[in-house]
Every structure is written in structure tokens, then in C-alpha cells.
């Protein structure tokens, strides 16, 4: 089930929301195995309450 996305534009707004909502990180690893190789990729999502946070520039710092 895909979560609804919430957009927060700055760190101050995120800190305010974190005072009243649970914050966590979902880290998913996808494995892929072929005949002569093994690979994987990862997907990281920040979640606040029941909403996935849209990744904005201030979150990448």
C-alpha cells in the first residue's frame, strides 16, 4: 500500500510536525540475481505519521 505524500518546505516546519507526529525512516533493499552477477538497490523514505515525506533539497544536507 502506497502512502500519501506530505510536502514540508523547510527544516523548521519539519521540527514542528515532529513534536506531534512520529517520525521514522523506511529502508527497503531490492535484490536482483542474474546468471553471472548479483546486484541490489535501496530505496529510503522518510515517514511522518502516516505520510511519506517528499524529498526536498533541505533534506539532502
Amino acid at each position: 500500500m502506497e502512502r500519501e505524500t506530505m510536502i514540508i518546505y523547510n527544516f523548521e516546519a519539519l521540527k514542528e510536525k515532529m513534536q506531534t507526529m512520529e517520525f521514522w525512516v523506511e529502508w527497503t533493499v531490492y535484490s536482483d540475481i542474474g546468471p553471472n552477477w548479483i546486484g541490489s538497490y535501496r530505496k529510503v523514505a522518510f515517514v511522518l505519521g502516516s505520510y511519506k515525506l517528499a524529498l526536498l533539497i533541505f533534506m539532502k544536507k
Side-chain angles (χ1 to χ4, degrees):
M1 179 175 89
E2 189 66 27
R3 298 178 188 280
E4 288 188 52
T5 301
M6 177 187 289
I7 299 173
I8 296 179
Y9 292 98
N10 59 57
F11 186 66
E12 292 302 318
L14 176 60
K15 286 193 319 186
E16 266 184 43
K17 294 279 189 189
M18 288 173 68
Q19 297 297 317
T20 60
M21 302 172 81
E22 186 175 3
F23 175 80
W24 72 91
V25 177
E26 290 181 348
W27 179 293
T28 307
V29 178
Y30 299 90
S31 298
D32 195 7
I33 300 173
N36 295 318
W37 56 273
I38 297 175
S40 67
Y41 68 96
R42 291 155 187 81
K43 182 178 175 184
V44 175
F46 297 99
V47 180
L48 188 61
S50 61
Y51 298 94
K52 181 171 90 170
L53 293 177
L55 290 178
L56 299 174
I57 291 174
F58 84 93
M59 294 177 162
K60 295 178 181 181
K61 292 183 179 181

